[in-house]
Amino acid sequence: MLPGIPHSERWRLALRAGFAAVFFAIAASLIVGLTNLSQLARYRGAVTQSQAVATALQSLLSALQDAETGQRGFLVTGDTSFLAPYEQAGALIRTRMDSLRTLLAATPALRTRIAAIDVNATAKLGELRQTIDLWREGKQADAVAVVHAGRGKELMDTLRAEIDEIWTLQEADIRRLTVARARSHRLVAISIGVGSGTALLFLLLVFALQEQKDAIEGELARTIDNQRERLRVTLSSIGDGVLTTDATGRITFMNAVTESLTGYSQEEAIGRAFESIFVIVNEFTRAKVVNPITTVLERGIVVGMANHTLLIAKDGTERPIDDSAAPIRDASGKLVGVVLVFRDVTEARRREVTLIDSQRKLRAADARKDEFLAILSHELRGPLGPISNYLEIILRPDTDPALARESAVNMDRQLRQLVRLVDDLLDVNRVTLGKLELQLETMDLRSAVHQAVDTARSSFADKGIRLSLQMPVSEQFVRADQVRLRQVFANLLNNARKYTPQGGEVTVDLRQQDKFATIHVRDSGVGIPPDQLESIFGLFSQVSESRNLANDGLGIGLTLVRRLVEMHGGIVYAQSAGPGLGSEFVLRLPLTEAPLRIPGENKVNRNSNTPATILVVDDNHDNADSLSVLLGIAGHTVFVAYDGESGIDLASKHTPQVLVLDIGLPTLSGLEVCQRVREQEWGRAAVIIALSGWGQASDVARSDEAGFDAHLVKPVPYETLLSTIDRLRAARPAAR
Ligand code: ADP
């Protein structure tokens, strides 16, 4: 409507304009009304006067007519009683003429006419008196002659005409006045109407404006309330602490975060000096620091809080905080308060510490990895040195056969050491990644322990350590992966041998305790410091002094042992009275129900020495040839090919019961060879084993998909290969 002018101002302007209009309208109506009212009074006076004049004239004429009628009566009858009207007429006419003169004092024109009437009336009265006097004097004939002369009639006619004329004038006057009075009446009515209408309108306008004003004020109040509420909610929901003070530093607002961090409720804090609620000290010196609110109040600038500030809550709780304070200014720029925003940085500090800790751990792990690589290369080189020496001895043409045989046995021991190292490494990797799957079967734990102890016996004897075994007579059935359990015992026994000096003693004790089988591997060796009884199960961890003693191992054996035991639902832990006092490893495995029969046992035995036709395909000639010799020694008929195509040819020709295929082959991969063989009638019944350098889960899955019965990772121990062949042949009757 009026752009640029504020709403309240517009409202005031409209009200003023309304007032002015109403004032003028009412004033005009008042003037018109009053003027016409006085006019009306005048008209009323004039009309009354005209009516009085008319009445007086009427009365005058009547008096003359009555007097004349009386005169006639007297003249005819001579009765004097007829003269009463005549006798009264004189005084009456005088009175009427006086009042007419008074009434018409201000009307000179009529006064002249009245004077004429007065003359004629006096003349008429004179004519009447003359006739009456003549009659009384006895001159009746003269009296009648005067009457007949017509002078009296003439006077009466003149008088009537004159009175009529005045009458007519008065009537005209009255009519004019009546019209004027009616107009004045109308004007008074109009002015009253206009005045009261305007006043009414104004009242309506004021009412409407008041209503509008109320509505606007209500709306404004609601908007302000909403905004205030929104601001309060916003400040309350901010994740940081918010506190405001007035210009004197008294608290005016605190959000919920501030309440929880300071320990004061808003009700308690409002109106109090900020220093008593927001108490801060230096984190390290604990000296009071300058409160940022003080600085803002004094200097009117935005202040970031000093680092390492501690907020002390009502209950004494201390929290590291961080943030800033800023001035609140009004529209004129005057400082009216301070807003302080702060946050609890305990969590951030903790994360910082955690980060530093993780970095430290990462660095330590990195150092451990470097150390591990150094140890690994040392451990790998360890057996390789003697192997190459023994080989040298064997290859010399003049070597004594007995020496050559002894060298070969020693080489085999070193080789096993190497294989065990690599196996452990691969296994720990698989176990850590959760990719190792157990081939669970119900088995007698005694046989696994027995086999492990038997295998270890010769190396214990070599070192001059006594190894004894105690086992219950009853079977101890567990659900376990035979190969993995043997690996666990082999590791524990190997450690016991490594960390026990010559002349020492190692005992393996298997017992049943409730629903568990417990195996104690006890040695009289170097022992373990109490603080490291748990850490030795960590990857790559070794008791520092033990390295010099044992001089081999990667620090992964016990990690593997623990993971494998846990995968079997068991536990393993170490005990030791301390360095030099021997160690004990305790292993507990849950027992299970006895099986109806021990699977595989008989079949393996039945098949173990049944000769088979075996095809070995490997592009590593040495591997293929040596394997061929070993399998031949076991009584099998063996054919060898060095690439995929030749492998297929030989297979078609000899239809072997067992195929041992390398995967990475020239011409055709081992996977393709397997697929082709499986397409043949005879090939579907054959046992096909993958023998590869790759042992990741994905490699095993690929072999499985191509149709292999098993996936073995090189180097595979001779016995493992033979037992795998036997087991698989037993499971495939047609391959026997
Ligand atoms: P390593 O290959 O070093 O033997 P392990 O994981 O098998 O790795 O063992 C970790 C560490 O635990 C060893 O380095 C050694 O310090 C300690 N340890 C293991 N077994 C024994 C034991 N029987 N006696 C003393 N210390 C042992």
Side-chain angles (χ1 to χ4, degrees):
M1 232 175 12
L2 292 169
I5 300 177
H7 202 85
S8 56
E9 191 56 23
R10 283 212 298 267
W11 191 86
R12 229 184 334 272
L13 280 176
L15 205 62
R16 277 187 193 152
F19 265 125
V22 168
F23 176 78
F24 285 119
I26 292 177
S29 312
L30 214 61
I31 291 167
V32 170
L34 286 176
T35 313
N36 281 285
L37 273 178
S38 71
Q39 202 79 338
L40 272 178
R42 255 201 328 278
Y43 291 154
R44 200 177 301 119
V47 168
T48 309
Q49 183 186 323
S50 295
Q51 282 170 344
V53 169
T55 307
L57 286 172
Q58 182 68 44
S59 169
L60 187 86
L61 193 60
S62 300
L64 283 173
Q65 280 172 339
D66 289 349
E68 189 177 48
T69 307
Q71 175 229 28
R72 295 283 154 79
F74 174 70
L75 290 184
V76 172
T77 64
D79 187 353
T80 54
S81 64
F82 280 104
L83 291 177
Y86 160 75
E87 282 157 3
Q88 286 161 6
L92 196 69
I93 286 164
R94 284 284 69 79
T95 312
R96 292 291 178 266
M97 282 314 293
D98 285 347
S99 68
L100 277 170
R101 263 191 293 278
T102 311
L103 285 169
L104 298 172
T107 322
L110 286 183
R111 266 213 327 267
T112 322
R113 288 172 188 260
I114 289 296
I117 287 171
D118 195 10
V119 170
N120 287 328
T122 307
K124 178 62 188 176
L125 277 178
E127 185 256 348
L128 289 177
R129 192 166 51 245
Q130 186 187 9
T131 56
I132 291 167
D133 286 347
L134 284 173
W135 179 270
R136 278 188 175 146
E137 287 167 11
K139 300 171 188 169
Q140 283 90 351
D142 289 345
V144 173
V146 170
V147 172
H148 284 297
R151 171 75 182 141
K153 185 180 176 297
E154 195 183 318
L155 279 172
M156 275 308 279
D157 287 345
T158 309
L159 272 169
R160 254 190 220 102
E162 283 172 344
I163 286 171
D164 270 355
E165 212 173 303
I166 293 175
W167 193 283
T168 307
L169 283 172
Q170 288 300 296
E171 266 185 350
D173 234 16
I174 287 171
R175 259 199 311 280
R176 184 181 56 77
L177 286 170
T178 306
V179 169
R181 201 170 60 174
R183 205 186 75 226
S184 288
H185 260 299
R186 248 193 335 273
L187 283 172
V188 167
I190 287 170
S191 62
I192 288 172
V194 168
S196 46
T198 312
L200 206 64
L201 267 178
F202 175 68
L203 278 179
L204 281 174
L205 177 71
V206 168
F207 180 73
L209 286 172
Q210 190 58 44
E211 284 288 294
Q212 195 186 359
K213 188 182 170 210
D214 287 351
I216 290 168
E217 280 177 355
E219 184 67 21
L220 271 174
R222 269 195 301 281
T223 308
I224 290 168
D225 278 355
N226 281 347
Q227 284 177 350
R228 190 175 294 148
E229 180 61 10
R230 204 172 305 153
L231 182 66
R232 194 190 64 74
V233 170
T234 306
L235 291 177
S236 303
S237 19
I238 284 178
D240 293 343
V242 179
L243 177 156
T244 61
T245 73
D246 61 15
T248 65
R250 307 225 158 254
I251 291 173
T252 52
F253 171 82
M254 271 174 43
N255 70 353
V257 179
T258 305
E259 287 184 323
S260 83
L261 292 181
T262 59
Y264 290 95
S265 71
Q266 179 160 250
E267 288 76 56
E268 280 178 277
I270 295 278
R272 285 177 63 177
F274 70 89
E275 300 98 326
S276 59
I277 306 294
F278 187 68
V279 185
I280 49 173
V281 295
N282 183 286
E283 190 175 350
F284 302 119
T285 62
R286 305 198 56 79
K288 254 187 129 185
V289 293
V290 180
N291 204 302
I293 299 177
T294 313
T295 316
V296 176
L297 286 173
E298 283 173 6
R299 297 169 54 197
I301 52 164
V302 177
V303 186
M305 215 174 278
N307 275 339
H308 308 298
T309 308
L310 274 186
L311 171 71
I312 302 175
K314 187 181 179 184
D315 63 359
T317 311
E318 297 180 355
R319 291 185 185 85
I321 55 162
D322 190 10
D323 234 319
S324 65
I328 306 173
R329 296 185 186 281
D330 66 9
S332 67
K334 190 176 139 218
L335 189 139
V336 291
V338 178
V339 57
L340 173 85
V341 182
F342 62 102
R343 75 173 66 98
D344 180 0
V345 293
T346 312
E347 186 55 22
R349 288 281 165 79
R350 201 190 54 71
R351 277 202 299 270
E352 228 172 81
V353 170
T354 313
L355 192 68
I356 292 169
D357 194 45
S358 329
Q359 281 171 343
R360 194 182 48 73
K361 281 186 181 147
L362 270 177
R363 272 198 294 275
D366 197 41
R368 266 214 318 274
K369 182 205 72 193
D370 288 345
E371 192 190 348
F372 165 73
L373 286 175
I375 297 171
L376 179 63
S377 52
H378 171 266
E379 292 306 317
L380 291 177
R381 266 193 219 106
L384 284 174
I387 286 173
S388 105
N389 293 343
Y390 288 130
L391 205 58
E392 188 63 38
I393 296 168
I394 291 168
L395 289 175
R396 291 184 82 89
D398 52 347
T399 301
D400 172 53
L403 180 61
R405 190 171 182 72
E406 195 191 324
S407 299
V409 169
N410 289 337
M411 262 177 76
D412 179 62
R413 204 181 56 246
Q414 296 296 336
L415 206 62
R416 280 170 197 274
Q417 169 83 357
L418 257 184
V419 169
R420 207 178 51 77
L421 261 177
V422 175
D423 272 353
D424 278 2
L425 261 178
L426 291 174
D427 287 346
V428 86
N429 184 41
R430 263 183 268 163
V431 169
T432 311
L433 296 175
K435 287 183 175 168
L436 190 121
E437 269 184 33
L438 298 180
Q439 308 290 323
L440 292 178
E441 55 182 315
T442 303
M443 53 173 276
D444 185 358
L445 187 60
R446 294 177 313 160
S447 64
V449 175
H450 208 287
Q451 274 183 33
V453 170
D454 276 356
T455 310
R457 242 179 236 296
S458 64
S459 63
F460 273 74
D462 289 350
K463 199 175 170 185
I465 299 171
R466 251 177 304 138
L467 175 62
S468 56
L469 171 65
Q470 282 157 28
M471 288 204 292
V473 282
S474 60
E475 293 150 316
Q476 303 290 307
F477 289 113
V478 288
R479 288 287 295 163
D481 182 322
Q482 249 192 82
V483 177
R484 296 302 168 190
L485 266 197
R486 255 188 256 146
Q487 198 175 357
V488 166
F489 297 134
N491 259 303
L492 292 179
L493 285 170
N494 192 45
N495 278 349
R497 190 186 61 81
K498 256 197 306 189
Y499 301 108
T500 304
Q502 192 178 10
E505 186 173 2
V506 172
T507 57
V508 178
D509 185 2
L510 169 60
R511 280 180 231 164
Q512 180 181 347
Q513 280 182 339
D514 302 328
K515 291 184 173 171
F516 290 89
T518 312
I519 301 122
H520 297 254
V521 180
R522 213 173 292 122
D523 66 54
S524 59
V526 297
I528 302 163
D531 61 329
Q532 296 186 33
L533 285 171
E534 187 53 35
S535 63
I536 51 171
F537 289 94
L539 195 56
F540 307 138
S541 68
Q542 297 179 314
V543 175
S544 34
E545 309 91 69
S546 68
R547 276 217 58 75
N548 298 334
L549 278 164
N551 213 24
D552 67 357
L554 293 171
I556 54 176
L558 286 182
T559 309
L560 199 56
V561 165
R562 176 162 276 181
R563 300 266 164 92
L564 286 174
V565 169
E566 283 171 355
M567 282 173 81
H568 280 86
I571 54 163
V572 58
Y573 56 90
Q575 312 185 126
S576 170
L581 297 172
S583 315
E584 181 176 27
F585 286 81
V586 185
L587 195 152
R588 275 157 71 82
L589 285 172
L591 288 167
T592 188
E593 296 290 313
L596 294 178
R597 66 177 176 82
I598 303 170
E601 224 167 52
N602 296 334
K603 283 183 210 157
V604 170
N605 291 341
R606 197 179 68 216
N607 282 289
S608 56
N609 284 322
T610 315
T613 310
I614 300 179
L615 172 66
V616 174
V617 188
D618 195 333
D619 59 338
N620 182 327
H621 288 231
D622 290 338
N623 205 33
D625 293 344
S626 60
L627 204 57
S628 156
V629 172
L630 286 174
L631 289 171
I633 291 169
H636 301 294
T637 308
V638 188
F639 300 96
V640 177
Y642 303 117
D643 65 86
E645 291 282 10
S646 330
I648 292 279
D649 291 346
L650 270 184
S652 311
K653 207 163 141 193
H654 300 289
T655 61
Q657 289 143 311
V658 179
L659 292 93
V660 180
L661 308 177
D662 183 21
I663 299 293
L665 289 172
T667 64
L668 275 181
S669 78
L671 297 172
E672 285 166 304
V673 174
C674 176
Q675 278 163 349
R676 296 262 190 101
V677 169
R678 285 289 187 224
E679 283 164 12
Q680 311 294 318
E681 177 73 27
W682 62 268
R684 278 194 275 283
V687 166
I688 311 182
I689 298 168
L691 186 57
S692 167
W694 304 108
Q696 299 293 316
S698 54
D699 302 315
V700 177
R702 263 197 297 278
S703 298
D704 198 42
E705 213 175 293
F708 280 100
D709 292 304
H711 183 109
L712 300 178
V713 182
K714 288 178 187 172
V716 67
Y718 178 48
E719 300 86 11
T720 307
L721 180 61
L722 285 181
S723 66
T724 306
I725 290 172
D726 281 350
R727 184 166 55 82
L728 294 174
R729 284 183 70 205
R732 279 183 179 274
R736 282 176 211 162

